[in-house]
């Protein structure tokens, strides 16, 4: 089902980014664990060490900054697997190969999952062993190691699946990369912008912010915090949905639209609405933010709508150019 030639092709074109991901995870876990032990030895006799130690061990296995860098590399990996081919003649060559589109997609998809899963698992377990063999092994009892392992891994799975979905509906690597990063936080960002607008006009922003499903369950980065107890099943469900949609789009896409912003003209009306509205809300939020907090409500609303209208105009122009390429 997965011909060796397809595996070798993906490895040849993505081995650099695959090694980069391994380096990021090694820095995040075994290297960080070794450096943390040295720091802990100097602080273990301090007055507040017992309280700080729990936070320290949770932070270590949450990955912190390197986990976020890992997300960036994963999005780039998806771009190397799909988007970069569309910027070159490799995409036309691939479509001429004697393999089905399903075989091509599944090879790309499982190759990416194997790279992510193996590099993460090796690094996480190495970091775990560094702590186990140290005098601070007792700190491991403060965290649920199964949750600490699978929660970030499930997050990487859903983010990779989303990036692959974006790659199948976009026509080149730049639009894939930019839209992937936007969609990672788009639901939450949109709610924040709407809440700001509601608050400015005398409404209750809490009615927007209090949607925990959008603001917490669908905020994928929150699953990096292993000190919480969120439902990993949500990640698996969304990951499978994104995967199914990505496969469907991949087998339906036409190579004649390579190099364009989107591969499917059916999506043009949706983006023609979302981009200007989102841009206008962002413009109003940014321009309105320059008004002093204690200024009059009338001035705040006037400046907000000036920013809204100006941003709407430019967002409309940009959208028109993007969708007419």
């Amino acid at each position: 089902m997965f011909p060796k030639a397809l595996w070798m092709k993906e490895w040849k074109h993505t081995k650099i980014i695959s090694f980069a991901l391994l380096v990021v995870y090694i820095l995040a876990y075994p290297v960080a664990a070794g450096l943390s032990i040295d720091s802990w030895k100097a602080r273990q006799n301090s007055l507040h060490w017992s309280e700080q130690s729990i936070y320290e061990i949770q932070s270590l296995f949450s990955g912190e900054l390197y986990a976020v860098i890992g997300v960036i590399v994963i999005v780039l990996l998806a771009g190397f697997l799909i988007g970069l081919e569309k910027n070159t003649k490799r995409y036309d060559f691939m479509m001429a190969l004697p393999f089905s589109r399903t075989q091509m997609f599944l090879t790309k998809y499982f190759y990416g999952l194997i790279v992510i899963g193996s590099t993460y698992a090796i690094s996480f377990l190495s970091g775990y062993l560094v702590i186990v063999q140290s005098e601070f092994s007792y700190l491991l009892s403060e965290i649920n190691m199964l949750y600490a392992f699978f929660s970030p891994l499930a997050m990487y799975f859903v983010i990779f699946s989303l990036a692959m979905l974006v790659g199948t509906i976009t026509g080149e690597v730049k639009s894939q990369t930019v839209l992937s990063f936007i969609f990672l936080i788009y639901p939450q960002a949109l709610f924040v912008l709407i809440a700001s607008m509601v608050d400015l006009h005398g409404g209750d922003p809490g009615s927007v912010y209090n949607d925990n499903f959008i603001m917490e369950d669908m905020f994928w980065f929150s699953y990096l915090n292993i000190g919480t107890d969120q439902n990993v099943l949500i990640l698996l469900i969304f990951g499978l949905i994104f995967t199914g949609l990505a496969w469907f789009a991949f087998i339906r896409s036409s190579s004649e639209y390579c190099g364009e912003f989107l591969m499917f003209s059916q999506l043009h009306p949706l983006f023609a609405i979302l981009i200007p509205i989102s841009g206008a809300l962002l413009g109003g939020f940014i321009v309105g933010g320059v008004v002093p907090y204690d200024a009059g409500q009338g001035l705040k609303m006037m400046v907000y709508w000036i920013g809204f209208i100006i941003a709407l105009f430019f967002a409309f122009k940009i959208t028109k150019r993007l969708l007419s390429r």
Side-chain angles (χ1 to χ4, degrees), residues 176-236:
Q176 177 185 353
T177 304
V178 172
L179 287 180
S180 294
F181 287 125
I182 290 175
F183 286 148
L184 283 180
I185 59 171
Y186 183 78
Q188 296 76 32
L190 184 61
F191 268 49
V192 169
L193 295 176
I194 293 175
S196 174
M197 185 179 188
V198 169
D199 181 44
L200 179 67
H201 292 79
D204 178 19
S207 61
V208 180
Y209 279 120
N210 291 336
D211 191 319
N212 292 331
F213 183 74
I214 296 293
M215 302 303 292
E216 296 180 11
D217 295 330
M218 284 187 65
F219 183 58
W220 313 127
F221 291 97
S222 64
Y223 292 85
L224 287 174
N225 183 6
I226 64 171
T228 62
D229 189 24
Q230 292 180 271
N231 189 357
V232 178
L233 182 61
I234 293 175
L235 291 172
L236 299 179

Side-chain angles (χ1 to χ4, degrees), residues 30 59 190 200 258 299 324:
S59 298
L190 184 61
L200 179 67
C258 287
L299 177 61
S324 63

Side-chain angles (χ1 to χ4, degrees), residues 2 11 13 40 59 78 96 115 137 147-148 166 171 195 199 220 223 228 246-247 274 280 302 306:
F2 304 114
W11 165 250
H13 296 133
W40 296 346
S59 298
V115 168
S137 58
Y147 181 82
V166 175
D199 181 44
W220 313 127
Y223 292 85
T228 62
W247 167 78
L274 286 181
M302 181 182 70
I306 289 175

